Structure formats: C-alpha cells, structure tokens
Amino acid sequence: MFIKSWAKVCHVGSLPPELTPVLERSFINDPLDICTIFTERWKEFATEGTGLTLMEMKPEPGLLRGTFRLSRQQMGQIKSKIDGNVSSFTAVCSYIWACLVKAEGGDITNENVFLIINMDCRSRLEPPIPANYIGNCVAFRVARTKVVSLEGGNGLVTAAAAIKEAVGSLPQGVVKGAEKWFSEADSTFAGQKTYGIGGSPWFELYGADFGWGRPVKVEMVSIDKAVALSL
C-alpha cells in the first residue's frame, strides 16, 4: 500500500481515494486488547535505556540471493503433480519448500520442519476494514511436516497438504488466538528448522510506477537475515 501510494504521488502528483492511506485504529475490533499484549511483549525486546534496536541486516559471508522465474506452464506442471485442486500460491510454495529441504540434504537435524506463511488480514476481519488501511494488519499460519516426508518422492504432495491444512484454518478467524502468538512461538519454533515466506504477488509491486516505468525486478532484502523466500 505504501509503495503504491508513494509511486502514484511521484508519478502524477496526487492520490485517488483507493490509494489514499488510512490509519484509523478504531477500524480494528480488539476486545482482547491484543494491541497492549503485543506492545508489552515488544518492550521486553528493548535494550535497557536504548529502546528497540535496529536489526543488523548484513548477511552472512558467502550467501547469495537468487531469483527464479516460473512460467504459467511450469506452474501448471507443478500443480499436475499434486493431488486435488490447489492454488498457484500453494503449488509454488510447496515446490520451493520441498526443494529447500532437499537442497540442505542431511544438514537438517530436526525431525520436523516449519513454513511460516504471512497473510493480509484486512479483508478477512469481521467486519472487513478498507484495503487502503496502512497499519500493520498481518497474521500468520504455520505449516508443519516431517523432514523425511519432504525429502521423499512425495515431498511436493506432502508440502501442499501441510500448507492447505495451515491456511484452511482461516475461516475459524484470522486473528483467533492472537493473544497467544508470542508465547506459542517461543515454545514451537525454539531450536526448530523454520522457513518463512515474505512478499506476495498480491502486493502488485511490479505495477508501482514512480514515473520512469514499472520495475523490472523487485527484491525483499530482509530475507537475507532469515531462512526465507520472497514471492
């Protein structure tokens, strides 16, 4: 939202209503006071006397960031190997997740492997909030399976089933249990092999034109410090 609005202002000098940022906290129905719970937890991360510190974004020596393009035909081939109907998102994430585990070979010592999937909450809240809401309104779901299952011949199918199960809990409430997210993350992910997904084709960043044309390539540099992939 921010990038698209910024690009529009730079390009034409004004914003249409649908790209005019809105930051109205009252839109969020928060009977459990999740805002306070999260704020208090973030305070625990602060260094005494200095407040929250910036994350060191310099990657480890020797790391490379690669970009891979999948054509519509290739995505169709991936889908054809998965039982049942799956979205392009599920198919691509399943393929990459399985490939990452296989690429690390025997270096993964954990029994289970996790995939954290971030998602936009705005249209999924009850009631939904405007698409031009610019506050932090993101939730996550976690897909989980065994490492050996992804390393095997049916790794793609297994990955897709785990992702579909994780995302399938959305109808129960996108922020259901949010008051426990921090505490559950500590016990679930500590010492575990975890991958994450950043970015989304739905952000439409390739449509952001600052006045010199649409971008040829968009990269999310924050993934350099995490075992993550950006779509």
Side-chain angles (χ1 to χ4, degrees):
M1 177 65 198
F2 171 75
I3 294 295
K4 289 190 287 187
S5 298
W6 184 20
K8 196 71 172 181
V9 168
C10 291
H11 194 181
V12 302
S14 60
L15 288 174
E18 65 272 16
L19 286 180
T20 301
V22 172
L23 184 57
E24 179 52 67
R25 300 295 187 186
S26 63
F27 286 156
I28 308 295
N29 183 20
D30 185 16
L32 298 177
D33 198 16
I34 296 172
C35 180
T36 299
I37 295 173
F38 278 29
T39 300
E40 292 302 316
R41 187 56 190 270
W42 277 112
K43 288 180 181 179
E44 297 176 11
F45 296 145
T47 303
E48 184 176 355
T50 62
L52 293 173
T53 57
L54 294 176
M55 179 186 294
E56 172 56 59
M57 296 306 299
K58 186 176 181 180
E60 297 294 330
L63 289 181
L64 296 175
R65 188 191 321 131
T67 299
F68 302 88
R69 293 183 178 181
L70 292 174
S71 65
R72 188 179 299 274
Q73 179 182 4
Q74 290 171 321
M75 287 191 289
Q77 291 173 344
I78 295 172
K79 289 182 179 181
S80 68
K81 297 179 180 179
I82 302 174
D83 297 332
N85 295 324
V86 296
S87 65
S88 296
F89 175 86
T90 297
V92 171
C93 290
S94 301
Y95 178 70
I96 298 174
W97 190 19
C99 286
L100 286 172
V101 171
K102 291 178 180 178
E104 295 200 42
D107 293 339
I108 303 177
T109 58
N110 305 88
E111 179 183 3
N112 298 311
V113 61
F114 299 84
L115 181 68
I116 300 177
I117 307 166
N118 294 312
M119 55 193 63
D120 185 352
C121 293
R122 289 174 294 188
S123 63
R124 296 182 170 101
L125 292 175
E126 292 293 342
I129 61 176
N132 57 338
Y133 178 78
I134 202 172
N136 187 351
C137 195
V138 179
F140 70 94
R141 290 295 185 271
V142 181
R144 170 181 176 173
T145 190
K146 294 187 179 300
V147 174
V148 294
S149 298
L150 294 189
E151 292 177 329
N154 290 324
L156 180 61
V157 175
T158 301
I163 292 175
K164 289 178 68 176
E165 180 180 358
V167 177
S169 64
L170 283 176
Q172 302 172 13
V174 69
V175 292
K176 182 180 180 180
E179 70 278 7
K180 301 178 182 178
W181 282 351
F182 272 116
S183 58
E184 290 180 348
D186 289 342
S187 59
T188 302
F189 303 127
Q192 298 296 321
K193 185 62 177 180
T194 305
Y195 299 98
I197 301 174
S200 168
W202 290 103
F203 290 165
E204 300 178 336
L205 294 181
Y206 280 93
D209 185 355
F210 284 82
W212 52 77
R214 296 185 178 185
V216 175
K217 185 178 182 181
V218 176
E219 292 188 344
M220 181 177 287
V221 297
S222 60
I223 66 175
D224 293 350
K225 284 294 293 183
V227 185
L229 57 106
S230 175
L231 295 180

